[in-house]
Amino acid sequence: MNRETVLKVKKYLTDNSLLDDETFDSLPEKRKKGKIFTFNEHVEGMIYSLLSAQTKFSVIEKNRENINKLFFYYNTDEILSRSYEYFLNGLQDLKCGSRVRKAQMKVLHYNIELMRTIENEYGSMDTFVTSKPVKNIIQMLSSPSSKYKMKQMSTALVCEYLKNVGIDCAKPDVHMKRMLGCNRLGWSKHSNATNDEVYDAFRFLSEETGMYMADIDYFFWLYCSDGNAEICSAAPNCKNCVIKDECNNNK
């Protein structure tokens, strides 16, 4: 797994109209160029992170404008004035429910109030997420022992939130852990790579390519996920895989 791996995957996505270089929105690049993400944008990033759990995210993407309306375009006063049932029922009406939605919507107010507390302490959420190395921020927001622990947010979902606000990291979700495991690309000796192994793999690929970790993660996610390329999924489509020569599943 190296620079060529990434370029092959990216070319496949481009050739199959799953990625357009002209319209691709690199959030880490926006941050590098000086974008400061507002509190509402952080709330939006947190909510979309929650919504990415245990569902086909392509369904969420298709309903993005309706979801934005449902959450009042992330006006926190409006969100806090509604019960969790309001958002739960709204998501179900949009066919964006899942078995974890009720638990997620129940903690929505808590997470927003926590973010307000962090903002009061650090001046802004943007200052907070850039105040320490990204691994430290991930730990602070995901560890049960941390006073900043976001409820219903695992390490993977915290990484998704941070990516949504332009922080350069990779999300150790089921797709990436399986793809990097010993039965696929072999970065790990385990069938599913660990969180640290996912992070290290994408850091390595970032150094090899000069691309952001978050962008490479997105390319690989498109390559794996349901509703997108669906190549390196749970039931891999090895016949059409452009990196099968590197994969242990093909040997």
Side-chain angles (χ1 to χ4, degrees):
M1 187 174 70
N2 53 31
R3 180 176 183 274
E4 290 305 313
T5 311
V6 178
L7 295 179
K8 287 177 183 178
V9 167
K10 187 178 180 184
K11 184 177 186 303
Y12 176 90
L13 297 172
T14 303
D15 290 347
N16 287 275
S17 302
L18 292 167
L19 182 70
D20 185 345
D21 275 336
E22 296 297 321
T23 61
F24 175 61
D25 194 19
S26 174
L27 294 178
E29 182 65 16
K30 282 188 173 183
R31 179 174 285 282
K32 181 181 178 182
K33 289 180 177 178
K35 177 172 173 56
I36 297 173
F37 289 76
T38 66
F39 185 80
N40 286 5
E41 286 174 320
H42 278 268
V43 171
E44 178 182 3
M46 180 268 293
I47 289 174
Y48 273 104
S49 172
L50 288 172
L51 296 181
S52 72
Q54 298 190 29
T55 191
K56 287 186 178 181
F57 198 70
S58 56
V59 176
I60 303 298
E61 281 288 352
K62 289 175 184 176
N63 279 284
R64 185 173 284 271
E65 181 56 27
N66 289 326
I67 291 170
N68 292 344
K69 289 179 182 177
L70 175 66
F71 288 96
F72 304 101
Y73 295 94
Y74 313 99
N75 181 311
T76 51
D77 290 333
E78 292 282 4
I79 294 174
L80 292 172
S81 71
R82 277 22 180 228
S83 69
Y84 81 87
E85 289 97 343
Y86 176 87
F87 301 105
L88 178 63
N89 293 335
L91 289 168
Q92 290 173 338
D93 289 343
L94 293 173
K95 310 299 183 195
C96 293
S98 81
R99 61 184 180 182
V100 296
R101 285 291 177 261
K102 184 174 182 179
Q104 290 176 334
M105 294 304 102
K106 276 188 170 183
V107 304
L108 187 58
H109 286 189
Y110 176 90
N111 283 352
I112 291 173
E113 293 291 5
L114 174 63
M115 293 170 80
R116 284 183 167 181
T117 297
I118 293 172
E119 184 160 72
N120 287 335
E121 290 184 21
Y122 282 82
S124 72
M125 281 301 298
D126 235 41
T127 300
F128 169 72
V129 299
T130 57
S131 64
K132 295 175 177 63
V134 63
K135 277 194 170 184
N136 295 56
I137 299 298
I138 293 168
Q139 180 74 6
M140 292 170 74
L141 294 175
S142 64
S143 172
S145 63
S146 171
K147 69 176 183 177
Y148 301 115
K149 169 72 172 77
M150 286 185 165
K151 291 187 176 181
Q152 292 294 311
M153 299 277 279
S154 62
T155 296
L157 293 187
V158 166
C159 289
E160 180 71 7
Y161 153 60
L162 293 174
K163 285 173 57 188
N164 288 342
V165 292
I167 300 298
D168 192 26
C169 63
K171 178 184 179 181
D173 67 3
V174 61
H175 298 295
M176 297 306 99
K177 288 185 171 185
R178 180 175 55 231
M179 189 178 192
L180 296 172
C182 62
N183 297 321
R184 301 287 174 94
L185 293 181
W187 182 269
S188 172
K189 64 181 180 181
H190 307 289
S191 58
N192 290 305
T194 65
N195 291 345
D196 283 341
E197 285 172 334
V198 171
Y199 185 90
D200 291 344
F202 283 94
R203 182 177 59 185
F204 167 77
L205 291 174
S206 177
E207 292 170 353
E208 284 273 296
T209 61
M211 301 177 189
Y212 294 105
M213 292 172 61
D215 293 348
I216 300 170
D217 173 275
Y218 179 62
F219 302 154
F220 278 26
W221 176 78
L222 285 175
Y223 196 66
C224 295
S225 59
D226 294 341
N228 293 298
E230 298 183 22
I231 298 294
C232 197
S233 56
N237 180 5
C238 297
K239 179 181 178 181
N240 293 317
C241 182
V242 295
I243 55 172
K244 60 187 176 184
D245 289 345
E246 302 176 44
C247 183
N248 292 327
N249 193 63
N250 194 51
K251 295 176 182 177

